[in-house]
Amino acid sequence: MRASERAYATLRSDIINWRLTPGTVLGEVELSARLGVSRTPIREALAKLTAEGLSEPQSGRGVVVSEISLDHLDELFELRTALECRAAELAAQRCDPEIFANLHHQLLNAGELITAEDPSRADYYQLAGDLDAAVDAAVGNHYLTQALKNLRVHLVRVRRLAKDNPVRLRDAAREHAAIALAIANRNPVVASAATTVHLDNSLRHLLSTTS
Amino acid sequence: MRASERAYATLRSDIINWRLTPGTVLGEVELSARLGVSRTPIREALAKLTAEGLSEPQSGRGVVVSEISLDHLDELFELRTALECRAAELAAQRCDPEIFANLHHQLLNAGELITAEDPSRADYYQLAGDLDAAVDAAVGNHYLTQALKNLRVHLVRVRRLAKDNPVRLRDAAREHAAIALAIANRNPVVASAATTVHLDNSLRHLLSTTS
DNA sequence: AGTTCAAGGAATGTATACATAGATGGTTGT
DNA sequence: ACAACCATCTATGTATACATTCCTTGAACT
């Protein structure tokens, strides 16, 4: 693997998992020493991170890990709602119903995945990711998928802000199931509405647990 | 100005204005010779262009100017509709009505700007850009604005695909005026609907003049 | 004659040296 | 004592040399 890719992957993971907190200065020399590569691949990695919005230039000189404060959460969710509602609509019009019927069934039983033994909720988030991927595939729109991908990077960071309690996760799973069902039924209006409801619940939960 | 910024601006302009056509190979050595800077700033510029979607990696080695074919026009407009309709809605809820009333008035008279003396339609596109900027400002959502900005880069390229005949431009100006009016009236539903109509007309016009 | 493998070359990936600009701290003058 | 200015230092911007990988071309074998 290329050194620049390793540096990028490492830094990206560090930022997303809050090992590098917002505001941290990303100095080229320090990073090149820490990651054991020269400054050139570091620069490449920082450029990609900045393009992605995970870091940003700091007053003309140097880059810092970008802020992800609650002040911007509502803005993030406004974009998210616009994109995901449209995606759900289009998926409902174009999907293979069997795939989403299957996802619906899995999501209905997702409560069992949220156990005390798996504090990282890996299984649950895997299933939610499967739904996202299925929607992307059904929509078949490169530009829309790309915009959603850019957005999800920030959403993963936000997730760490909130304490994800099991009650909310089970509710969220039911909401996801409702979305999958609407898409399987090829009902764009309901799919969009279910997405709106789900995102509103998610946002309010986030705001209530973090403030 | 930094060399990397100059290289980026030059290449970006060359791609948008079709001096570099889709599929053109962007070799680092060739570009560094042509632009008179070393490969390092060229790499920086290419990374930014690729992040923006104006160029893309070519089978693991080298980057090429990305395709902007008609096959993807409908996809581009699906994303555009999702973003601009939402932006129009939010702008209608949050705007200062005077600003959009003023734009409405200007757009109603925009027919006079489309004259034979200005084949580049600079004045008209300036006015359309003013409306976009006013919507962005009224919405006040960094993420949504950023997503729209990414999108508009591709739209400028598409514009060059079509022969913009004066009749269509005058119609488009009236449609823009309708959007501005709906926002000035603080009517989100109409603003979104007017945007949908406008974008559908634009897409159909593009498809009819280029095929 | 076609296909495959190898060798060479060309372009990208990486490292490092050098240039430059911005920041910081100290000193001096008021 | 405070402020302003200058010098030095540090970090980024740029250039270039070196390494590596992939592609192309040619030759040989099937």
Side-chain angles (χ1 to χ4, degrees):
Chain A
M1 191 188 244
R2 293 200 298 252
S4 63
E5 288 179 22
R6 267 188 302 124
Y8 167 71
T10 302
L11 289 172
R12 188 175 189 278
S13 166
D14 284 350
I15 293 174
I16 286 177
N17 294 317
W18 289 76
R19 286 188 291 274
L20 289 172
T21 55
T24 303
V25 176
L26 299 172
E28 295 178 8
V29 283
E30 175 221 327
L31 291 174
S32 70
R34 186 157 69 85
L35 301 181
V37 294
S38 80
R39 281 177 51 213
T40 309
I42 295 288
R43 288 176 68 81
E44 202 106 337
L46 291 179
K48 278 181 87 170
L49 291 170
T50 302
E52 232 178 339
L54 289 176
S55 60
E56 47 195 18
Q58 181 194 34
S59 67
R61 204 170 181 84
V63 301
V64 298
V65 177
S66 57
E67 298 287 339
I68 183 77
S69 70
L70 294 173
D71 310 337
H72 304 131
L73 246 193
D74 50 347
E75 295 186 12
L76 195 62
F77 268 69
E78 274 178 5
L79 176 58
R80 187 183 183 186
T81 304
L83 292 176
E84 294 207 353
C85 284
R86 186 61 137 198
E89 272 178 34
L90 294 172
Q93 293 167 14
R94 299 169 184 173
C95 74
D96 171 5
E98 276 192 35
I99 293 175
F100 287 88
N102 184 26
L103 279 167
H104 168 63
H105 188 255
Q106 286 185 262
L107 283 160
L108 275 184
N109 299 326
E112 301 165 6
L113 294 176
I114 301 160
T115 60
E117 288 102 59
D118 180 18
S120 77
R121 322 299 188 196
D123 289 334
Y124 167 74
Y125 284 124
Q126 169 73 42
L127 193 52
D130 288 347
L131 178 59
D132 284 341
V135 170
D136 286 351
V139 171
N141 183 325
H142 171 263
Y143 296 101
L144 185 51
T145 300
Q146 196 61 39
L148 275 167
K149 196 174 148 199
N150 291 342
L151 185 65
R152 289 188 187 123
V153 174
H154 298 284
L155 293 173
V156 175
R157 283 185 85 194
V158 166
R159 189 180 293 164
R160 294 295 177 116
L161 273 175
K163 292 175 277 294
D164 50 350
N165 66 55
V167 175
R168 170 59 199 151
L169 281 185
R170 290 202 183 87
D171 284 346
R174 273 192 288 273
E175 292 163 13
H176 278 139
I179 295 170
L181 180 62
I183 295 175
N185 288 337
R186 312 203 69 152
N187 190 327
V189 175
V190 175
S192 176
T195 302
T196 300
V197 169
H198 167 58
L199 294 181
D200 181 61
N201 285 334
S202 291
L203 176 58
R204 282 189 295 106
H205 175 256
L206 278 172
L207 291 175
S208 70
T209 58
T210 52
S211 59
Chain B
M1 191 188 245
R2 293 199 298 253
S4 63
E5 289 178 22
R6 267 188 301 125
Y8 167 71
T10 302
L11 290 172
R12 190 175 188 277
S13 166
D14 283 350
I15 293 174
I16 287 178
N17 294 317
W18 289 76
R19 284 188 292 273
L20 289 172
T21 56
T24 304
V25 176
L26 298 172
E28 295 178 8
V29 283
E30 176 222 326
L31 290 175
S32 70
R34 186 156 69 84
L35 301 181
V37 294
S38 81
R39 279 178 52 213
T40 310
I42 295 289
R43 287 175 69 82
E44 201 106 339
L46 290 179
K48 278 181 89 172
L49 291 170
T50 301
E52 234 178 338
L54 289 176
S55 59
E56 47 194 20
Q58 181 194 36
S59 69
R61 207 170 180 85
V63 301
V64 298
V65 177
S66 57
E67 297 287 339
I68 184 75
S69 71
L70 294 174
D71 309 337
H72 303 130
L73 245 191
D74 52 345
E75 296 187 12
L76 194 63
F77 268 70
E78 274 178 5
L79 175 58
R80 188 183 182 185
T81 304
L83 293 176
E84 293 208 352
C85 284
R86 186 61 138 200
E89 270 178 37
L90 294 171
Q93 292 167 16
R94 299 169 184 173
C95 73
D96 171 5
E98 277 192 36
I99 292 175
F100 287 89
N102 184 27
L103 280 167
H104 168 64
H105 188 257
Q106 287 185 263
L107 283 160
L108 275 184
N109 300 327
E112 302 164 8
L113 295 176
I114 302 160
T115 59
E117 286 102 58
D118 180 18
S120 75
R121 321 300 189 195
D123 288 335
Y124 168 74
Y125 285 124
Q126 170 72 41
L127 193 51
D130 288 347
L131 177 60
D132 284 341
V135 170
D136 286 352
V139 171
N141 183 325
H142 171 262
Y143 295 101
L144 185 52
T145 300
Q146 195 63 40
L148 275 168
K149 195 173 147 200
N150 292 340
L151 185 65
R152 291 190 186 122
V153 174
H154 298 284
L155 292 173
V156 175
R157 283 185 85 197
V158 166
R159 188 179 294 165
R160 293 296 176 116
L161 273 176
K163 291 176 277 295
D164 50 350
N165 66 55
V167 175
R168 171 59 199 151
L169 281 184
R170 290 202 183 88
D171 283 347
R174 274 192 288 273
E175 292 163 14
H176 278 139
I179 295 170
L181 179 62
I183 296 175
N185 288 338
R186 312 203 70 152
N187 191 326
V189 175
V190 175
S192 176
T195 302
T196 300
V197 169
H198 167 59
L199 294 181
D200 181 61
N201 285 333
S202 292
L203 176 58
R204 282 188 295 107
H205 174 256
L206 279 172
L207 290 175
S208 70
T209 59
T210 53
S211 58

